[in-house]
RNA sequence: GGCACGGUGGCCAAGUGGUAAGGCGGAAGUCUGCAAAACUUCUAUCCGCGGGUUCGAUUCCCGCCCGUGCCUCCA
């Protein structure tokens, strides 16, 4: 049963066949580091992290490149506004991005090249485009001549003439056509600059991805990913640059685009000012909850960020860990656990265009079976328990969640919830002991009083058959 | 205006040419001194609206309405 991927280029789900058997080359557009990354950036990173992990699970040798575009208008602006160098700005946010992604369980790609470290490759690429007549020099600037690339618009399904009539493109005297875009920008005061055959200047946006992808993955490779908002113009221009320079088509065989994270049904973005940084969100929510949330809908659809959705994710994870905790605590015996089929739970759903939502659904179906098993007073055999754990571990390795020690997860949630409560853990313990005595002497009036009192403060008690009482925080 | 994507129960969200996963929530029951948790049952005669194709469509086609995105920096 083959892996199928929805290819933006063809707008169809296609069977995935790599260029070289057993090997996958994948390039994903990373960030422009000029500010704290927000949930939208995290979604892209997490989505492609799962793609990467799953391809590895399937046994492919994956070379995964995710770049940093560390030369850009916004970085320059930030640097000038704050009186530091561009490098200071980009390094600061690259570091922060790396930290947040690590917390979210995002694995480090094979290589994370920086644009500024590939200026020579870009210059070489631009020269190639000029030599092939796809680009022209205008003063000390170099532009890509869009009309020379006949299939321009094939990814975003736009037609050049329709784009022209869009009339939102500013007129630039130096361009032959308003749609032409800059490959090389001449030096201006207060901007970083490099030597080039066309004079001092800096690369335009887009060319870094063409140059770096070909350097690390070759002129043609398997998967190219990024957020949906990059499909035009960024990816369209990348295609034009790469195919225009090599004459090889297609540049990337499968294009995968992840959907946005919305807030109030609107795209979360810097320009709209409605973004929430990952840093901020992680102050409030467990990284696993965030990751679960990001993967709980299919990667291509938009997801709406709301506190309710986050708490929903947390509740779901709690349900999962409660069941797992019961299993951990139970004694072993002779009964065989319900079958946990990796094929059914993981592979069939993920082979269908990385359907993580369905994997989660299957996991919860299993949770019910597991609880049923334990409710029936059965004791799992050592071997079936080990088998289950090994399989679950594989799911965890691909999804990047469901892998914590259940007791640890539950305790962390409790501690966190307690922070915003008025009652202390000691006080709860004291009341539990008092209630135990009351219950022993069948003073149910007092015991119920204590429970109600705690309940009023959001603490819910759970009496177990052996006489002990545990508690949890309910919002 | 052009192009793209989407409209599934109270909310979130999968999915399929043959009759609707899962999570949250709600109702009843089992368990419990009573609860909580768990389990069981129930909670969309129906998948935006109107046509069409078909033995049969939520799933395919056409039209319409609504939402979002891209067309300018953007994951």
């Amino acid at each position: 049963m083959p892996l199928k991927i929805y290819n933006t280029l063809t707008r169809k789900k296609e069977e995935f066949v790599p260029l070289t058997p057993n090997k996958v080359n994948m390039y994903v557009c990373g960030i422009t580091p000029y500010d704290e990354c927000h949930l939208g950036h995290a979604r892209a990173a997490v989505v492609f992290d799962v793609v990467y992990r799953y391809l590895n699970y399937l046994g492919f040798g994956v070379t995964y490149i995710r770049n940093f575009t560390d030369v850009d208008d916004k970085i320059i602006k930030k640097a000038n506004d704050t009186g530091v160098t561009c490098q200071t700005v980009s390094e600061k946010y690259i570091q922060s991005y790396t930290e947040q992604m690590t917390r979210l369980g995002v694995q480090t790609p094979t290589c994370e090249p920086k644009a500024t470290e590939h200026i020579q490759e870009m210059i070489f690429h631009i020269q190639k485009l000029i030599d092939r007549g796809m680009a022209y020099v205008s003063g000390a600037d170099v532009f890509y001549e869009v009309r020379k690339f006949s299939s321009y618009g094939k990814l975003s399904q736009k037609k050049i003439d329709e784009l022209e009539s869009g009339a939102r493109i500013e007129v630039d005297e130096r361009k032959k056509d308003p749609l032409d875009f800059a490959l090389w920008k001449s030096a201006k005061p207060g901007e970083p600059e490099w030597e080039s055959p066309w004079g001092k200047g800096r690369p335009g946006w887009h060319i870094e991805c063409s140059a770096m992808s070909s350097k690390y993955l070759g002129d043609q490779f398997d998967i190219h990913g990024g957020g949906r908002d990059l499909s035009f113009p960024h990816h369209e221009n990348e295609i034009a640059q790469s195919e225009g320079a090599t004459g090889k088509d297609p540049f990337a065989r499968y294009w995968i685009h992840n959907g946005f994270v919305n807030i109030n049904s609107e795209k979360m973005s810097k320009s709209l000012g409605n973004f929430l940084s990952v840093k901020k969100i992680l102050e409030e929510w467990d990284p696993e909850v965030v990751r679960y949330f990001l993967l709980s809908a299919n990667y291509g659809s938009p997801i709406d960020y709301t506190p309710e959705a986050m708490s929903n994710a947390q509740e779901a994870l709690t349900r999962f860990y409660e069941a797992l905790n019961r299993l951990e605590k139970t004694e072993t015996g002779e009964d065989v656990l319900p079958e946990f089929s990796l094929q059914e739970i993981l592979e069939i759903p993920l082979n269908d265009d990385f359907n993580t939502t369905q994997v989660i659904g299957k996991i919860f179906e299993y949770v019910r079976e597991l609880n049923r098993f334990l409710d029936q007073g059965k004791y799992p055999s050592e071997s079936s328990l080990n088998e289950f754990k090994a399989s679950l571990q594989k799911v965890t390795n691909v999804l990047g969640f469901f892998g914590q020690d259940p007791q640890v997860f539950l305790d962390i949630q409790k501690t966190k919830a307690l922070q915003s409560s008025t009652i202390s853990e000691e006080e709860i313990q004291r009341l539990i002991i008092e209630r135990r005595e009351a219950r022993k002497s069948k003073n149910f009036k007092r015991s119920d009083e204590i429970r109600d009192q705690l309940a009023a403060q959001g603490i819910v008690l759970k009496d177990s058959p052996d006489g002990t009482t545990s508690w949890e925080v309910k919002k």
Side-chain angles (χ1 to χ4, degrees):
Chain A
M1 174 199 40
L3 168 64
K4 285 190 174 170
I5 297 179
Y6 179 83
N7 190 351
T8 314
L9 196 58
T10 57
R11 311 273 159 167
K12 281 199 289 266
K13 258 186 214 174
E14 296 173 349
E15 185 174 330
F16 176 69
V17 183
L19 222 41
T20 309
N22 303 119
K23 176 120 189 49
V24 179
N25 279 163
M26 167 161 114
Y27 187 94
V28 172
C29 289
I31 56 157
T32 299
Y34 73 98
D35 201 351
E36 285 299 332
C37 59
H38 60 65
L39 245 203
H41 301 112
R43 188 181 192 191
V46 165
V47 161
F48 290 103
D49 183 50
V50 170
V51 170
Y52 177 49
R53 286 163 176 258
Y54 189 55
L55 290 169
N56 275 132
Y57 170 93
L58 291 177
F60 290 106
V62 188
T63 302
Y64 174 26
I65 308 296
R66 191 186 59 206
N67 72 292
F68 287 113
T69 300
D70 61 344
V71 49
D72 165 89
D73 293 358
K74 291 188 173 177
I75 296 174
I76 295 168
K77 185 177 185 312
K78 184 99 178 189
N80 289 156
D81 287 352
T82 53
V84 296
T85 64
C86 287
Q87 203 181 0
T88 307
V89 171
S90 61
E91 274 178 6
K92 175 179 170 187
Y93 294 114
I94 285 174
Q95 198 198 325
S96 177
Y97 176 79
T98 304
E99 270 170 35
Q100 312 313 324
M101 291 312 115
T102 302
R103 294 175 70 191
L104 288 176
V106 174
Q107 293 184 340
T108 309
T110 315
C111 182
E112 297 179 274
K114 293 181 186 137
T116 52
E117 290 169 6
H118 297 79
I119 301 291
Q120 284 317 308
E121 285 86 345
M122 290 189 236
I123 289 172
F124 184 71
H125 197 109
I126 294 168
Q127 189 59 55
K128 225 156 126 186
L129 286 168
I130 295 171
D131 294 346
R132 286 179 64 102
M134 307 301 289
Y136 57 93
V137 181
S138 176
D141 294 278
V142 184
F143 293 98
Y144 188 96
E145 192 165 355
V146 169
R147 292 207 178 257
K148 287 279 175 69
F149 188 66
S150 59
S151 55
Y152 190 79
K154 65 180 169 184
L155 178 69
S156 51
Q157 303 197 166
K158 293 182 190 303
K159 293 184 179 60
I160 292 185
D161 294 330
E162 285 165 359
L163 284 166
E164 296 266 87
S165 62
R168 281 171 91 177
I169 317 133
E170 55 185 88
V171 184
D172 190 327
E173 304 292 301
R174 299 164 300 171
K175 293 182 184 177
K176 288 188 187 173
D177 186 290
L179 286 175
D180 292 350
F181 57 92
L183 294 168
W184 188 261
K185 298 177 171 182
S186 56
K188 285 165 202 69
E191 295 191 357
E193 54 185 50
W194 287 267
E195 291 288 349
S196 85
W198 320 286
K200 286 185 178 173
R202 62 180 171 100
W205 181 41
H206 316 306
I207 191 67
E208 79 284 11
C209 287
S210 286
M212 295 190 285
S213 62
S214 76
K215 171 172 177 177
Y216 293 98
L217 303 174
D219 291 343
Q220 294 184 291
F221 54 92
D222 302 296
I223 297 174
H224 192 130
R228 212 184 269 316
D229 46 1
L230 293 180
S231 62
F232 190 91
H234 184 58
H235 291 159
E236 202 66 71
N237 290 353
E238 262 188 79
I239 291 174
Q241 290 167 343
S242 293
E243 294 181 4
T246 64
K248 293 176 191 165
D249 174 7
F251 155 55
R253 296 154 47 91
Y254 301 86
W255 286 84
I256 305 178
H257 290 95
N258 65 277
F260 302 131
V261 175
N262 291 161
I263 265 191
N264 300 324
S265 304
E266 244 183 4
K267 179 187 172 190
M268 180 184 288
S269 78
K270 288 285 169 69
S271 34
L272 288 171
N274 60 353
F275 63 94
L276 274 167
S277 74
V278 176
K279 211 171 178 177
K280 183 111 184 167
I281 287 167
L282 288 178
E283 282 171 17
E284 194 177 346
W285 301 98
D286 189 287
E288 183 164 14
V289 171
V290 178
R291 190 169 171 115
Y292 177 97
F293 166 71
L294 292 173
L295 293 170
S296 62
N298 280 171
Y299 74 84
S301 355
I303 43 173
D304 219 44
Y305 174 87
T306 59
E308 292 71 34
M310 296 305 284
S311 125
N312 202 307
Q314 187 173 48
E315 290 294 321
L317 277 170
T318 303
R319 174 171 162 79
F320 171 79
Y321 282 120
E322 292 270 17
L324 205 59
N325 202 222
R326 285 182 75 187
L327 183 64
E328 296 262 303
K329 296 275 165 17
T330 195
E331 284 166 36
T332 51
E334 298 302 317
D335 300 307
V336 177
L337 280 170
E339 192 201 356
F340 188 93
S341 160
L342 279 173
Q343 202 193 0
E344 291 291 329
I345 293 173
L346 189 71
E347 296 167 17
I348 291 176
L350 290 189
N351 278 342
D352 187 14
D353 197 31
F354 310 103
N355 194 332
T356 52
T357 314
Q358 215 165 54
V359 178
I360 292 171
K362 298 276 183 200
I363 291 284
F364 281 104
E365 281 177 42
Y366 189 82
V367 164
R368 176 169 296 121
E369 280 187 71
L370 186 59
N371 276 320
R372 204 181 289 149
F373 173 92
L374 294 167
D375 274 1
Q376 284 165 358
K378 292 182 178 170
Y379 297 99
S381 71
E382 202 72 54
S383 65
S384 73
L385 192 60
N386 289 338
E387 208 175 303
F388 164 73
K389 283 185 178 173
S391 296
L392 181 63
Q393 184 58 243
K394 287 185 180 168
V395 172
T396 294
N397 284 156
V398 174
L399 295 182
F401 58 84
F402 285 150
Q404 284 192 63
D405 179 285
Q407 193 63 59
V408 171
F409 177 89
L410 297 170
D411 285 347
I412 288 174
Q413 302 312 312
K414 258 166 55 168
T415 312
K416 239 184 200 167
L418 212 54
Q419 281 170 359
S420 53
S421 169
T422 49
I423 193 164
S424 72
E425 195 159 351
E426 292 70 34
E427 180 67 5
I428 295 168
Q429 279 311 327
R430 196 187 64 71
L431 287 168
I432 284 176
I433 290 165
E434 190 192 333
R435 179 163 167 277
R436 187 172 62 202
E437 295 310 314
R439 288 181 76 210
K440 260 188 198 158
S441 52
K442 302 251 186 275
N443 183 358
F444 294 123
K445 186 166 171 278
R446 177 60 189 148
S447 94
D448 286 353
E449 230 171 65
I450 292 173
R451 193 177 54 210
D452 291 346
Q453 183 196 335
L454 285 168
Q457 296 179 83
I459 307 299
V460 180
L461 299 182
K462 273 165 89 169
D463 297 326
S464 67
D466 62 13
T468 60
T469 298
S470 61
W471 58 274
E472 59 186 54
V473 185
K474 264 275 147 40
K475 273 175 281 194

